[in-house]
Amino acid sequence: MPREAEPSLNERAFVVQALQEGLRLDGRAFDQFRGLDLKFGDHYGVADVTLGKTRVLANVSAEVTAPYIDRPFDGIFTITTELSPMASPAFEVNRPTETEVLLSRLLEKTVRRSNALDTESLCLIAGQKCWSIRVDLHVLSHDGNLIDGSCLAVVAALRHFRRPDTSIEGETLTVYTPAEREPVPLSWLHSPFCITFSFYGEEGEIMLLDATLLEEQLRVSSCIISLNKHGEICQIAKLGGTPVEAVSLIQCASAALTKGKELSTLLDQKLAEDSKRRDKGGLLAELSAENER
Amino acid sequence: MPITILQPAPVPVFNDTRNDHASASDSDSDEGGVDLEGDISMMRPSKRARRTEDDSIVTPGEVITEDPQWMRGHGTYTTRQAPAIVSSVAGTLAKTNRLLSVRPLRARYTPEIGDLVVGRIVEVQAKRWRVDVGASLLAQLPLSAINLPGGIQRRRTETDELQIRTFFSEGELLVAEVQQLYGDGGAVLHTRSLKYGKLRNGVFVAVSGTGGGGGVVRARRQAFTLDLGGASADDAEKIDVVLGVNGYIWISKHVEGEGAAAETSGPGINRVEESVGLNVYSSQNDDIPMSTMREIARVRGVIEALVEHGLRVDEDMVARAYHEAVEMARGDGDGEDTLYLGGERGRRLAQALVGR
Amino acid sequence: MPLDTSTYDLALLRVDGRRWNELRRLDGQIRTQAAADGSSYLEMGNTKVMCVVSGPSEDKRRGQTSASTATGSNAADVAVSVVVAGFSSVDRKKRGRGDKRIQELQTTISKALASNLHTHLYPRSTISISLNVLSQDGSLLAALINASTLALIDAGIPMTDYLVACTAGSTSSYAANDDRADPLVDLNNQEEQELPFLTMATLGATDKVAVLVCESRVQVSRLEGMMAAAADACKGVRDFLDQVIREKGHKMVTEGTIEKGASMAIEIDA
């Protein structure tokens, strides 16, 4: 199994000492993100997040299927992650690495278990037909902080996505093509964001946001906090590593809240820009069959 | 809000009885056990674990001393800010002059130079064997550290390397001595003595290693011949026992001029050539009479009973326990062929030994 | 709703009759498996787990365990495998080995223990820990961590301090009636289903957090109270584990299995 090349001892000592003196390799402040860019594709439901040299692409698709027998009133919502050798030689196809398992578990907990998407709204005919929403996440380039980037991409793609409109008359279910009726957005409840903190030093006293790959390899432990702009924590994951004082974890949570709000504003703004771009003749409001709730 | 967390509720009484059943074989000290529990609850550690006066057990994270005059040994570490020596294992404190160390209640075997060990070959490499001796790393046995058949003294040639499996191959047992240690704790063995070499004609028993749980202790003699002295039915047989310091034990039929006996009565190093027979690397067992087999099995039972009841395993103890076991078998009227030493019989055996 | 909020407000008693700061009954044993290097059995209420430690020993099939820490440096690997028995919960569910939730548990335990154990003393070797879940009733991760700590101490592997874990929940998840919400410790399965909770593992009696896992929605402001409650509960668990070890040690000393320890008391305290 090819493994990510380990940083040499010298690099290790250099980076850690620089951090102790308050310097990061790329000159950022400890709580500063790298350049974050979010682009939407031509189709609905494609989001491309670039975070420094890390690049993640999320693609949402929908189809009509039968719901699970034990949950007849819920639609199906899955997130699949793919870390291909394209991103790093350490990743292999069909052999999930630890990184991939943790990433998919994290997205699962952050987005799916926190009920960000209202799965009940995906039900068409109870027990017979429902929408199956599938998010495919592709990591195109890996330079650290995959988790924050991936989570943003998934949330952005889902909020950008429009599913075909449907109507039910008696027993017949009609799915309209985009030409017939304007597609409708998913019923979205809240937008969670992941913020990863990396800890350095003997006791984990140095705390970094948005670590690069090198910094990630050198950290002594990490803590991932997912929350939405209302200050609701969806998930915390500090999975082992050097123990960190409880107080600094609480500081992390409040720092994460600030950062989460920033990301939320950015996403709202990008979504607004995109809809303006699509809404050429200002006809969208008329085309939509959906009423304001 | 001030936070107070109540202590977890004490284990109800019914549990104690069940524990007694589970560890029914745990020797006789029933009253002792109850007393003990009383003691413990009284000296429950305070918030920050501190040494309590009458407590001889230290546990991980417990500050042993903050006095800078002590040096830290095995089983301890020092803290950075407030210089203190803290225990890293659960065990008893040992002081050697100014050196503080903690002997763990139980641990894997850590090799020391001169230890007599019994090992099992797990890997054969070009010029060496890799031997499992129950330590954290496999031990090495270089081709140059064994006696050649016939006791010839010469350099090891390529021919020897090609024939390495004719000496020892995977899965075979041997008795050897630790000759050298590497920095990481790995051991290098040698078998260049008549008392060392391949083991055959017997059975293997593994008991948990040194450090407690009733292991083998380092003693003056680790390999000895058990003289059954007519204690057994008809013939005065002899049985060789090799107690490896690593907790691996070999019990075998006594062969004159081979094995443990050579230690005392064997020839000097100058006569090695004559006495290292050509069959030392044979993997074939000799013919073992039924009665010897039975006594070997009895010794094995004795050792397992000793371990189960947390008693020392050394020459004196094994010999005494063996004779005791024979007596017991005779006294019970089940006939001397009864080898079973588990459960109630094992407890009686242990009791008899401790009581003496 | 199992935890009727109105009842709780009136009597301040939980479903199983505990107060907010009470742990469930703990029962622990070490050296349950004679053949293993270290073993333990732990009950936290109705959550029952067994742990067997083998090693440190040289691993011939190195690099195959996905849960190992893969440090590549000169320290022992900590390989953890968790097996959840099919009969451990009410509904008999079959979980494959590839279950991501289990894998996450394994990684968490392995990483948390690796930072606590003095693995640098055992280069090129592997400490393998296998955990068996016999019965589940909440606080699973906490019970697994506590059981592994016990078994590792039994195996005599040096560590910095006990790694102890406990869960803490909060009686309300939403911003409304903010000041009324109490933290709860050591949740059982019913409470875990209903309430937001987190699992926290601390290093001994300190406030250093090795593991913090939260999988439910909860207000940020609630976090501090829950963590404080969990930290104090961890201290209670540590005292209990310490007692288990001491009892065993005392028994061994009185039976003469191990030599009596030298006493520091006279020289140091005098």
Side-chain angles (χ1 to χ4, degrees), chain B residues 59-120:
Chain B
T59 51
E62 181 170 333
V63 177
I64 299 173
T65 176
E66 281 162 0
D67 192 336
Q69 65 165 325
W70 296 96
M71 292 190 302
R72 66 168 204 96
H74 287 293
T76 60
Y77 66 96
T78 45
T79 50
R80 210 156 300 230
Q81 293 91 1
I85 297 181
V86 186
S87 173
S88 64
V89 295
T92 54
L93 206 57
K95 290 192 285 191
T96 320
N97 297 324
R98 291 273 154 237
L99 184 76
L100 273 182
S101 47
V102 179
R103 286 185 299 255
L105 295 179
R106 180 163 72 162
R108 268 181 104 83
Y109 167 64
T110 24
E112 281 176 32
I113 292 176
D115 281 352
L116 179 117
V117 293
V118 173
R120 186 189 297 271

Side-chain angles (χ1 to χ4, degrees), chain A residues 12-228:
Chain A
R12 196 176 284 265
F14 181 87
V15 173
V16 173
Q17 198 183 341
L19 285 176
Q20 256 147 8
E21 289 171 17
L23 277 176
R24 277 176 94 162
L25 281 192
D26 43 12
R28 278 183 290 154
F30 280 9
D31 59 350
Q32 192 186 353
F33 267 60
R34 287 169 287 179
L36 177 62
D37 192 21
L38 170 63
K39 280 200 214 86
F40 293 105
D42 291 337
H43 298 283
Y44 281 122
V46 179
D48 180 349
V49 169
T50 318
L51 188 62
K53 281 182 184 158
T54 299
R55 191 169 167 208
V56 192
L57 183 86
N59 187 7
V60 184
S61 52
E63 60 175 346
V64 177
T65 52
Y68 294 125
I69 302 160
D70 51 338
R71 327 208 62 155
F73 302 107
D74 280 349
I76 299 171
F77 175 39
T78 49
I79 304 175
T80 55
T81 48
E82 180 135 357
L83 271 65
S84 64
M86 174 165 60
S88 154
F91 301 137
E92 278 176 72
V93 186
N94 294 333
R95 227 238 224 117
T97 55
E98 196 182 291
T99 329
E100 182 164 358
V101 171
L102 292 184
L103 176 64
S104 69
R105 267 292 287 169
L106 214 88
L107 291 175
E108 168 103 12
K109 286 193 283 187
T110 306
V111 183
R112 229 163 75 94
R113 280 189 48 147
S114 75
N115 286 324
L117 178 69
D118 179 15
T119 45
E120 282 180 30
S121 72
L122 298 175
C123 176
L124 297 170
I125 303 170
Q128 289 179 32
K129 292 283 173 223
C130 72
W131 283 107
S132 162
I133 305 288
R134 175 190 162 102
V135 187
D136 286 287
L137 186 83
H138 292 266
V139 175
L140 306 180
S141 154
H142 178 22
D143 186 30
N145 208 8
L146 268 187
I147 288 168
D148 297 10
S150 308
C151 181
L152 179 64
V154 168
V155 171
L158 281 165
R159 283 186 59 182
H160 186 248
F161 182 67
R162 302 283 185 276
R163 65 170 168 83
D165 200 3
T166 54
S167 70
I168 300 167
E169 286 162 24
E171 287 289 291
T172 44
L173 171 74
T174 325
V175 179
Y176 298 100
T177 62
E180 289 167 327
R181 274 200 199 175
E182 185 62 20
V184 293
L186 299 170
S187 163
W188 192 250
L189 300 178
H190 69 114
S191 303
F193 298 96
C194 285
I195 317 289
T196 308
F197 295 87
S198 304
F199 298 98
Y200 299 84
E202 285 286 321
E203 312 244 296
E205 65 274 358
I206 303 167
M207 184 174 97
L208 291 192
L209 272 176
D210 188 25
T212 60
L213 183 59
L214 178 63
E215 287 169 336
E216 268 185 8
Q217 285 172 321
L218 299 180
R219 68 186 171 195
V220 294
S221 78
S222 68
C223 178
I224 304 152
I225 301 181
S226 313
L227 35 61
N228 57 26

Side-chain angles (χ1 to χ4, degrees), chain C residues 27 44 60 124 175 238:
Chain C
D27 183 18
M44 292 176 83
K60 276 157 272 164
R124 297 191 288 117
R238 186 205 186 273

